[in-house]
Amino acid sequence: MVADDPHGRGECRESPRMDVATALDPNLLQKGAAFYHTYVESVQKAAPTGFLQLLMDGRPDWKAGTKYPDKSDRTNVALTRGLTVRECAACIGGIASSGGLEDALGTISNIMFCQNVVEKFGSEDQKKKWLPQASGEQKLGAYAIAEPEAGSDAAMIAAKVRLQGNDLVLSGKKSNVMYGEMAHYIIVFATGYGSTDEEKGRLSAFIVAANKKGIVKVPGILAGMHVAEIEFQDVRLSRDDLLGQAGQGYNIAQAGIDILRLTAASACSVAAREVFDKALADAKSRRQFGKAHIEFDMIAEKVVRMTEALHAMDAVVSFVASMADEGRDYAAEAAAARVFCARMAHVVADESLQVAGARGLAEESPYAKTLRDLRAFRFVGGADEVLKLYIALYGAKPSAEFIMSAKRGQSGAGAFDAAIKLWWKGFRLSMKRSKRATRQTKLADPGRICGEGAGILAERVHTIFKYYGGEVAEHEYELRRIADMAIELLVLAAVIARGEAVISGATGGDKELAAAAPGWRARRAWKRIARWSSEIFLADDLEMDKLAEKHLPE
């Protein structure tokens, strides 16, 4: 067996490059993992380090996301309307409840993304023209990133802007544009504009009036979701239509995408609760074999499991929103919340339909409609698979930067000290010492499991980034498992934090559920983390790759 082979396969392979600087180099990774260049490298966050980044680096901050600010606290606001991130999430949840998921998704697009980025990056003239609080008119915005051949991979965007005389000319097709047919303006992301080749190769954002000549709109493929396919046929723009700076499109997209993902998670949580309430009412009123459906053990079990899932979704949205309002970087956490809530909401809706019976399959049934609409949310802000890669890579940046610094130090006079630091961190993380995630005695066991799970995650992140170096972004199996572990621990930490708050009286809620839910989730989390951790460097992955090769294009 090769000494530096953590796979344990006894393979003779070259040791990978250990300079993790390449792991953060978009020029290398764009060849095999363009999403990294799009979603991770592009934005330099000024906010304090996020919860998952500290967790993956072996320095968990269990106080993050536990603040329940007073309603008068306006120190951190998300939008020009003066709303905190928590209030934004609650607002979108309310819209999902009263107007449906399609209205919630439209509001997320218009307010959480478009108005937010115009306020943050727009010129004074652009703000006066397009923002309702400045213009005095309600003007709907839409954003156009995805294309028929470039969904979550924004690095593949083909829409281009070229210079023609004093004007700019926009050409390209955009797909799945929420509110595209009724919007007054569209924020379009395209390449080709800039004073240097580098700027021209990167995305730029433009505010395009929706009534301009050359814009062709057709209804999109998502029924009832106010989605449009838009083609820009040599649409003339001026330089004043540029949003922000040339080549700044990735940064602009990321500035709006974090709160978009979190509020989408909130909408999923509320929609799932709505359909669950209908199913619960049906289970109490309908009778079979002489008793109500809710009296059957398997139906009662479904109800309890759905209740816990809804509690977990509410907790994680609240946890991440509080962390954002504390001024922390919550990019990875927002992505994790969106992945978890969209998936769990779909599970709850599916189980609710099962409880309701075959009549729930009718097209006009609220169960079938909610199930279909919720499925679309697994693409909001990026497909689940891309977001998991983002969570792993962005969350692991502090750990990667430590390895990078240590490796650079090994080439200089302090080589011995650098090697010792690198070895000591790996040894310390491998000890997986328990760090209790709560001081609440009723939640001691879930807190211990959360702490130990955090140690396992940090050790695995360190091992993977140290071993793969600059090629880490191409190893999606390992990154997916890192993301799954991170999401599981984020949700567990959120449920524990909610339990602490409810038990102590800091916030309202069902005390019995708040005390029991952390234990249920902790036991499941421990089994999953143990499995995913053991599957890192799994030989089955090589067999999977070999079987998949027959389906690759010639």
Side-chain angles (χ1 to χ4, degrees), residues 32-51:
F35 64 88
Y36 186 94
H37 173 64
T38 305
Y39 294 110
V40 180
E41 177 272 339
S42 58
V43 180
Q44 298 299 320
K45 299 279 186 177
T49 307
F51 175 79

Side-chain angles (χ1 to χ4, degrees), residues 178-246:
M178 181 59 60
Y179 273 14
E181 285 192 277
M182 58 188 76
H184 297 89
Y185 67 94
I186 306 167
I187 299 177
V188 183
F189 293 82
T191 59
Y193 181 73
S195 56
T196 66
D197 288 342
E198 182 182 359
E199 286 182 350
K200 291 178 181 178
R202 297 176 74 89
L203 283 183
S204 295
F206 300 86
I207 304 180
V208 182
N211 59 358
K212 277 186 174 287
K213 183 179 179 181
I215 297 179
V216 179
K217 306 175 186 178
V218 295
I221 58 174
L222 301 178
M225 297 297 283
H226 306 307
V227 168
E229 309 291 309
I230 302 179
E231 183 174 359
F232 299 90
Q233 300 175 345
D234 293 337
V235 178
R236 290 191 170 273
L237 309 175
S238 72
R239 287 180 171 82
D240 292 337
D241 294 325
L242 176 69
L243 180 61
Q245 304 297 318

Side-chain angles (χ1 to χ4, degrees), residues 1-20 22-23 399-400 403 407 422 459-473 475 478 536-538 542:
M1 185 178 294
V2 181
D4 65 348
D5 179 19
H7 296 257
R9 303 170 188 154
E11 298 170 359
C12 293
R13 54 180 293 173
E14 294 182 6
S15 297
R17 286 167 296 177
M18 303 303 290
D19 182 7
V20 184
T22 55
S399 183
I403 298 171
K407 284 297 174 182
L422 191 61
E459 186 272 333
R460 282 314 200 181
V461 167
H462 183 82
T463 299
I464 288 170
F465 274 74
K466 180 181 175 183
Y467 185 78
Y468 285 126
E471 299 171 355
V472 67
H475 293 269
E478 282 85 354
I536 298 287
F537 303 127
L538 191 66
L542 295 179

Side-chain angles (χ1 to χ4, degrees), residues 28-169:
L28 171 65
L29 295 176
Q30 193 173 18
K31 298 175 184 177
F35 64 88
Y36 186 94
H37 173 64
T38 305
Y39 294 110
V40 180
E41 177 272 339
S42 58
V43 180
Q44 298 299 320
K45 299 279 186 177
T49 307
F51 175 79
L52 286 180
Q53 288 188 332
L54 291 173
L55 200 70
M56 291 190 194
D57 198 33
R59 300 176 289 134
D61 179 4
W62 300 119
K63 293 182 179 180
T66 60
K67 180 182 177 184
Y68 284 81
D70 185 85
K71 291 182 179 179
S72 61
D73 181 7
R74 320 304 300 175
T75 54
N76 290 296
V77 294
L79 301 171
T80 55
R81 297 183 177 189
L83 297 176
T84 64
V85 176
R86 179 186 286 274
E87 288 169 338
C88 288
C91 173
I92 294 300
I95 292 171
S97 176
S98 61
L101 283 171
E102 57 270 28
D103 285 349
L105 196 53
T107 305
I108 290 170
S109 171
N110 176 41
I111 297 178
M112 302 306 164
F113 189 95
C114 295
Q115 292 186 23
N116 206 9
V117 299
V118 172
E119 170 62 26
K120 203 170 259 187
F121 296 95
S123 66
E124 290 304 314
D125 287 342
Q126 287 172 334
K127 293 176 187 178
K128 290 177 182 177
K129 185 174 183 180
W130 300 117
L131 293 182
Q133 55 268 43
S135 66
E137 300 177 45
Q138 181 60 42
K139 295 183 177 179
L140 291 176
Y143 70 94
I145 300 179
E147 296 183 358
E149 302 301 324
S152 298
D153 186 0
M156 292 291 290
I157 283 177
K160 290 193 178 297
V161 170
R162 67 182 188 276
L163 190 63
Q164 193 173 86
N166 293 324
D167 292 335
L168 304 176
V169 178

Side-chain angles (χ1 to χ4, degrees), residues 365-377:
S365 162
Y367 301 103
K369 184 179 187 306
T370 301
L371 195 61
R372 182 184 67 243
D373 290 349
L374 277 171
R375 193 63 183 82
F377 276 76

Side-chain angles (χ1 to χ4, degrees), residues 187-430:
I187 299 177
V188 183
F189 293 82
T191 59
Y193 181 73
S195 56
T196 66
D197 288 342
E198 182 182 359
E199 286 182 350
K200 291 178 181 178
R202 297 176 74 89
L203 283 183
S204 295
F206 300 86
I207 304 180
V208 182
N211 59 358
K212 277 186 174 287
K213 183 179 179 181
I215 297 179
V216 179
K217 306 175 186 178
V218 295
I221 58 174
L222 301 178
M225 297 297 283
H226 306 307
V227 168
E229 309 291 309
I230 302 179
E231 183 174 359
F232 299 90
Q233 300 175 345
D234 293 337
V235 178
R236 290 191 170 273
L237 309 175
S238 72
R239 287 180 171 82
D240 292 337
D241 294 325
L242 176 69
L243 180 61
Q245 304 297 318
Q248 200 180 14
Y250 293 139
N251 298 67
I252 292 171
Q254 191 68 50
I257 212 76
D258 292 345
I259 195 167
L260 180 147
R261 288 169 178 158
L262 181 57
T263 51
S266 178
C268 289
S269 175
V270 171
R273 186 171 293 280
E274 293 274 316
V275 75
F276 166 77
D277 288 342
K278 291 183 175 67
L280 182 58
D282 278 349
K284 290 178 179 179
S285 62
R286 297 181 67 199
R287 301 182 66 82
Q288 293 283 339
F289 303 105
K291 58 182 179 180
H293 283 192
I294 192 66
E295 295 181 65
F296 288 93
D297 288 347
M298 286 188 285
I299 298 298
E301 180 192 19
K302 288 180 185 294
V303 168
V304 172
R305 289 190 181 280
M306 288 190 284
T307 300
E308 190 277 332
L310 291 167
H311 178 79
M313 284 188 276
D314 288 345
V316 78
V317 169
S318 176
F319 185 86
V320 177
S322 293
M323 201 177 70
D325 286 330
E326 291 168 12
R328 293 174 180 264
D329 175 6
Y330 68 105
E333 292 76 11
R338 210 290 282 141
V339 171
F340 174 76
C341 289
R343 178 170 54 84
M344 288 309 302
H346 193 265
V347 169
V348 169
D350 185 58
E351 288 288 70
S352 295
L353 189 154
Q354 188 70 21
V355 170
R359 62 179 183 166
L361 293 169
E363 189 174 347
E364 67 277 7
S365 162
Y367 301 103
K369 184 179 187 306
T370 301
L371 195 61
R372 182 184 67 243
D373 290 349
L374 277 171
R375 193 63 183 82
F377 276 76
R378 292 186 66 180
F379 299 98
V380 173
D384 283 2
E385 294 77 10
V386 172
L387 291 188
K388 286 188 178 183
L389 297 176
Y390 171 73
I391 291 163
L393 287 168
Y394 189 75
K397 280 183 80 172
S399 183
E401 287 165 356
F402 172 84
I403 298 171
M404 175 179 66
S405 176
K407 284 297 174 182
R408 283 174 176 169
Q410 286 183 350
S411 61
F416 180 75
D417 287 345
I420 289 295
K421 286 180 180 178
L422 191 61
W423 174 85
W424 172 248
K425 182 168 184 178
F427 175 77
R428 178 176 60 80
L429 293 175
S430 69

